[in-house]
Amino acid sequence: MGATASEKSMYPDNWSASYCQFYSYAAALVKPLLDLIEPGSPGIPIEGPASDHDAKADDLESFARPLLMIMHWLPLAEQCNDAQTQSDVSKAKEWYIKGIEIGTDPSHERYWGTSRNIHQMQVEMGLLAVILPMNEGYAYELLPESAKASLLKWMATGRRCGMHRNNHIFFGLFIIEFLAWAGAAVPGDDALIDFYFNQLESMYLDQGWFIDGMNETVDHYNAYAFHYYGLWWSLLYGHKNALRKARWMDWGKEFLKSYTKLISEEGDYPLFGRSLTYRFNVLAPIGLAESLEVNPISSGAARRLCRLNLEYFLKRPIYQSQNCLAIGYIDNNEGMAETYSCGASPYWAAKGFSFLSLPPEHPFWHAEEEPIPSEEGDAVAVIEQAGFVLRNFGGRSELLNAGVAVALCNTRFGPFKWSKLAYRSGVGTLLPRPDQIPRDLSLVATAEDGSVYGRYMTTPVVLSENCAVSSYSLGSKNDPFHLSVYTMVFWNQGWLFIVHVGEAHQQCQLSQGSFAIAEERPIKPQIFDQQYAVIGLDSSILMSQNMSGYEGLQHACSAAESPREHSHGRHHQLLLSISELSQAGPFTLASICGEGRSSSYRIPWECTRSVVGELVLMHPEVGEWCIQHEMLPALKLETVGKSTKTL
């Protein structure tokens, strides 16, 4: 998907083949935007849902986010020698300048309006404050003096606005830093910057990871926001505070040591958390880390990681009818929209192109590609303070979550984006819906009255290189239902051994879901009369095996007329291990969930030993799997025997 020979002839001689290739990716994403822009419009009419903000905020978002993509492309496009590109350059510049002039003019009907407390306007204004000084102030210097004056006056309305106590604090910080950079500082600005940094730095956990403030989540926003903005600040303003710059650079390096493991050999990653429609935004810190020389992986590995991730998405139907980026992940799927999403929202992905700020002579563009972390063999990274484990196996990546949940004040995001036991590349996930709880890789309780409860708040108990143990309750503050449990997850290649030990205080049904695999067509449900089942094609084989405490297995499939519920396909199927708790009391449940692409996933395991602290499983192709942990209970041998003998 790189540049063709004819395209290379348009480019400057000092552009390497890799530089041309990545520029061509940017140019292809910019082209649909150029087809839509109209000089005199401070926004781009990108089709999509409206956000829960307001029309003015969505209008500004439709200017600022595509502008980031355009401003990564524009200074490079200026250097190309073909007439069409130069025509596009002129069109983009005219639109940008007119957009700033109109959007910041209070007398114009398309005026964006002032910033406000706790409002999206501050977010998009903050993004402009990042764009304007980058690349030595390229975007800012395109503006005539009158537009600069209008812009600074408008930008100053964001100087003292209140913000959510999470990554949004960066936006207020960058607004103030930009105003100072542009010569519009006022007394008190430095104190505000220190205050904002103190708030942000209080969110630091360890190993480079941050908790997202009041959201109380730890997820991809570490790449989208904390390390993207932290490293941009270090590049643009780090000379003002050497100690702070060194601190954020060190944190960025530590973060990328583990985070880069999440990009699989295919270029995708586990769908954990919110805003997954931002796709290649996961690359946001990479180019900046290269520029600051703090990338823990080599330049050759970094470029390969960026290429694999970009190509994973760009070769897929991720566009809407205008050929702009659509809401979704691997395709156009508005079911993945957040309440704050609008048509232009997916262009946060433009942050992933920060590597285009690297000069043509940088090693990033010339080093031979090297394997990325997921291609270097099986590995595990325990992120203890965050409450999860990252692992690579067979070129894939997985996040096992024992401790991350969203705060009660933001359950509107969908708490089950964080609360499943595991998230794996190449599989996707069931999406939260207001009227139901996704059952994939989750323990779900159904009460006698039909109420359904899933894991929400969770506490990590043990995190190690071979297991993750969490403690939590299923229930709600609004009714008396209560079930307490600790869950143990062990892993071996693509298999997870899941044990639940707990106590139910009411009668209920419990289900433990497998991964959910995507299907393009509805699947007819099967009936299983054994404790082991296999479904799926060779591209994704799914198995579940009940080992102790479960009555049976159910095949859950989306109906032909049901709305789409899966990130990766119109339909889906999964397996549910079912236990009927006929009375209150203690319970122990154990099962194996496997998902992979080899025939070994069609073969069950056999339990050869189960005592307190140790379980031994045997597989005819994989061999012995010995699980040892002091919290591991002895399973009822007669149940284990039934599971293995009835296959």
Side-chain angles (χ1 to χ4, degrees):
M1 294 185 66
T4 65
S6 60
E7 288 173 333
K8 289 179 181 177
S9 67
M10 305 183 312
Y11 303 148
D13 292 340
N14 67 334
W15 287 17
S16 68
S18 296
Y19 198 90
C20 295
Q21 178 185 35
F22 280 72
Y23 167 81
S24 71
Y25 295 155
L29 289 167
V30 166
K31 181 62 167 65
L33 299 173
L34 297 178
D35 291 340
L36 291 174
I37 63 176
E38 297 178 3
S41 174
I44 300 179
I46 300 174
E47 294 174 354
S51 75
D52 61 356
H53 305 302
D54 56 46
K56 289 288 187 182
D58 287 0
D59 200 26
L60 176 56
E61 186 168 318
S62 76
F63 181 84
R65 297 193 187 186
L67 180 66
L68 179 59
M69 190 72 247
I70 289 169
M71 283 302 173
H72 280 311
W73 161 84
L74 187 57
L76 307 183
E78 278 190 322
Q79 303 173 46
C80 298
N81 56 26
D82 66 297
Q84 182 58 56
T85 299
Q86 290 310 307
S87 175
D88 289 342
V89 165
S90 297
K91 183 178 183 181
K93 287 182 178 179
E94 182 183 5
W95 167 78
Y96 160 62
I97 294 169
K98 289 291 186 183
I100 292 290
E101 290 176 335
I102 292 171
T104 62
D105 179 2
S107 67
H108 200 283
E109 63 179 0
R110 294 289 298 277
Y111 175 52
W112 291 320
T114 61
S115 191
R116 284 173 268 167
N117 289 332
I118 317 295
H119 197 275
Q120 189 67 16
M121 196 71 70
Q122 185 84 346
V123 173
E124 310 306 327
M125 183 183 284
L127 174 59
L128 289 178
V130 175
I131 296 170
L132 291 160
M134 71 184 198
N135 297 328
E136 300 181 343
Y138 174 85
Y140 187 65
E141 293 306 325
L142 289 177
L143 298 173
E145 292 304 312
S146 59
K148 289 179 181 178
S150 178
L151 169 70
L152 294 176
K153 185 175 181 181
W154 172 76
M155 190 79 75
T157 68
R159 174 177 266 122
R160 298 185 180 92
C161 286
M163 293 162 286
H164 292 295
R165 192 182 181 279
N166 56 20
N167 72 85
H168 282 202
I169 294 171
F170 275 112
F171 300 117
L173 188 155
F174 270 92
I175 288 169
I176 296 170
E177 289 283 25
F178 166 71
L179 289 169
W181 176 86
V186 299
D189 279 357
D190 288 342
L192 279 175
I193 290 170
D194 287 340
F195 178 80
Y196 289 154
F197 263 118
N198 287 339
Q199 285 197 308
L200 290 165
E201 292 177 0
S202 74
M203 301 174 199
Y204 183 71
L205 297 172
D206 197 9
Q207 297 172 268
W209 289 81
F210 287 78
I211 189 168
D212 196 10
M214 59 182 283
N215 295 339
E216 298 181 10
T217 52
V218 187
D219 53 24
H220 291 295
Y221 269 82
N222 273 266
Y224 295 173
F226 285 95
H227 293 289
Y228 178 74
Y229 298 122
L231 294 179
W232 258 128
W233 181 90
S234 298
L235 277 169
L236 295 172
Y237 308 115
H239 60 278
K240 298 170 60 175
N241 189 322
L243 290 176
R244 180 176 289 151
K245 176 181 179 180
R247 184 160 60 246
W248 282 86
M249 287 170 59
D250 287 345
W251 287 342
K253 185 175 184 177
E254 280 299 305
F255 169 68
L256 290 172
K257 285 180 182 177
S258 58
Y259 188 72
T260 50
K261 296 179 183 296
L262 283 179
I263 307 300
S264 76
E265 65 179 6
E266 295 181 351
D268 67 334
Y269 49 85
L271 273 70
F272 177 66
R274 64 189 177 99
S275 299
L276 298 168
T277 191
Y278 299 160
R279 297 184 176 96
F280 39 88
N281 195 357
V282 295
L283 304 178
I286 300 294
L288 305 175
E290 283 286 309
S291 183
L292 289 162
E293 299 182 357
V294 295
N295 199 344
I297 63 175
S298 70
S299 292
R303 192 178 75 247
R304 178 172 176 79
L305 186 147
C306 292
R307 181 181 64 78
L308 290 173
N309 181 252
L310 284 171
E311 291 180 354
Y312 176 84
F313 290 110
L314 297 181
K315 70 183 181 182
R316 287 176 160 79
I318 61 171
Y319 312 99
Q320 37 88 307
S321 62
Q322 299 165 307
N323 293 317
C324 295
L325 291 176
I327 288 173
Y329 184 71
I330 66 168
D331 58 3
N332 185 341
N333 179 11
E334 287 197 4
M336 295 192 70
E338 306 286 354
T339 59
Y340 47 80
S341 299
C342 68
S345 293
Y347 282 91
W348 264 143
K351 294 179 185 178
F353 277 81
S354 63
F355 48 71
L356 286 183
S357 295
L358 297 169
E361 65 272 13
H362 195 281
F364 181 86
W365 304 115
H366 298 278
E368 291 293 325
E369 281 196 358
E370 296 180 15
I372 65 174
S374 63
E375 296 175 313
E376 293 184 316
D378 296 358
V380 176
V382 178
I383 313 300
E384 188 167 353
Q385 290 299 313
F388 53 66
V389 176
L390 311 179
R391 74 179 186 112
N392 296 125
F393 66 98
R396 301 177 70 182
S397 60
E398 185 169 66
L399 185 151
L400 297 117
N401 178 37
V404 178
V406 70
L408 183 63
C409 64
N410 273 333
T411 54
R412 67 191 181 96
F413 296 150
F416 308 105
K417 295 173 184 175
W418 294 270
S419 66
K420 298 175 186 180
L421 296 176
Y423 299 78
R424 181 177 292 180
S425 69
V427 184
T429 186
L430 290 181
L431 307 173
R433 290 288 182 269
D435 59 340
Q436 64 184 29
I437 294 174
R439 292 178 181 261
D440 53 328
L441 260 293
S442 301
L443 179 69
V444 175
T446 303
E448 286 187 279
D449 65 359
S451 299
V452 181
Y453 306 92
R455 184 171 76 160
Y456 169 47
M457 304 302 294
T458 180
T459 303
V461 178
V462 177
L463 296 170
S464 73
E465 292 191 352
N466 54 33
C467 78
V469 183
S470 57
S471 174
Y472 53 97
S473 294
L474 302 184
S476 167
K477 72 173 186 178
N478 299 318
D479 60 57
F481 183 87
H482 179 74
L483 181 146
S484 62
V485 62
Y486 73 81
T487 296
M488 313 182 71
V489 182
F490 302 87
W491 46 86
N492 183 350
Q493 299 180 41
W495 287 276
L496 301 178
F497 185 79
I498 303 170
V499 182
H500 303 293
V501 179
E503 183 167 3
H505 294 268
Q506 291 91 5
Q507 179 180 340
C508 65
Q509 180 195 81
L510 293 177
S511 69
Q512 170 59 54
S514 67
F515 289 100
I517 53 177
E519 303 289 350
E520 289 308 309
R521 297 176 179 82
I523 301 295
K524 183 178 180 180
Q526 302 178 51
I527 297 176
F528 303 112
D529 58 2
Q530 302 179 44
Q531 297 283 21
Y532 170 76
V534 179
I535 58 175
L537 303 175
D538 289 346
S539 58
S540 188
I541 302 168
L542 191 64
M543 65 82 73
S544 283
Q545 182 174 355
N546 294 339
M547 302 302 293
S548 183
Y550 291 106
E551 278 75 35
L553 286 164
Q554 289 183 5
H555 188 200
C557 307
S558 57
E561 67 280 1
S562 64
R564 178 172 174 174
E565 299 175 36
H566 201 282
S567 61
H568 282 48
R570 171 67 182 84
H571 293 282
H572 68 270
Q573 57 175 329
L574 71 156
L575 297 167
L576 300 175
S577 296
I578 303 296
S579 176
E580 301 287 349
L581 301 183
S582 58
Q583 60 186 15
F587 63 87
T588 298
L589 305 173
S591 63
I592 300 173
C593 166
E595 183 277 328
R597 299 161 184 172
S598 73
S599 59
S600 58
Y601 289 91
R602 298 189 181 278
I603 303 172
W605 291 81
E606 180 182 359
C607 180
T608 61
R609 175 176 169 82
S610 178
V611 297
V612 173
E614 182 178 79
L615 178 79
V616 180
L617 300 167
M618 185 63 68
H619 191 283
E621 293 186 2
V622 180
E624 186 178 87
W625 181 6
C626 182
I627 298 172
Q628 295 179 324
H629 196 280
E630 62 182 7
M631 297 178 68
L632 186 67
L635 302 181
K636 293 182 179 180
L637 292 177
E638 67 275 13
T639 307
V640 174
K642 180 180 178 181
S643 287
T644 56
K645 290 178 181 177
T646 59
L647 299 175

